[in-house]
Amino acid sequence: VERANKELSSNGTISSDYFAELSKRIDRRKNFASDKKTPLLMIPEIDTKIKAIGRGMTGLLLAPFASGKGLGLVHIDVAYAIQNLNVLHVTLEDPLQEVEDRLDASLTSIALNKLHLLPKRLRIRWKRICRRIGGRIRIVDMTATGCKVSDLEKLYHQFAQEGFVADAIIADYDDYIRPEHKY
């Protein structure tokens, strides 16, 4: 305990005079959008009330069955990519084609059920999107294999070795993440 106390007290301990530094805290909070720890969700009503999931955090979207959680995750993919964050989207429930279609619709503002009717408009809008956020979203389909948390970690390291360091890992659907050990 003594050794641990010494290590904790000597490494990175920060202190502040709480009552003397109100101005610093006010200045820090002035520009909520510049908070690099938590990116915005690009929904003003939500961004003004809560902070999104940032680096080193774990988050969960909860909603009733078939209520749009997958679309919500795709929206988070896009919002983070727009803010220059790399997103690794691991799908464990929905097939790859469905996730790609959702992303196409979200990025190009073309209705999901009209993507097949408007290929020319899709191509034109796609070029503009690629210039803005090209290469920031990767999708991995693990619907057939499922995964464990350690598999997600290996996937992260594999992509990092290839030069794609993910700032966010989005896994859809947590029920299909298997436990490391059974007890």
Side-chain angles (χ1 to χ4, degrees), residues 2 6 13 20 44-45 51 74 78 93 102 113 162-163 174:
E2 184 179 319
K6 284 179 185 175
T13 302
E45 294 80 10
K51 288 185 177 184
V74 164
V78 172
E93 179 184 32
R102 288 174 181 167
N113 60 352
E162 295 171 9
D174 71 314

Side-chain angles (χ1 to χ4, degrees), residues 88-92 94 96 138-143 155 159 170:
L88 181 60
H89 186 115
V90 180
T91 178
L92 299 165
D94 298 325
L96 177 66
R138 301 279 174 98
I139 307 168
V140 178
D141 185 355
M142 298 182 88
T143 54
L155 200 60
F159 276 97
I170 295 182

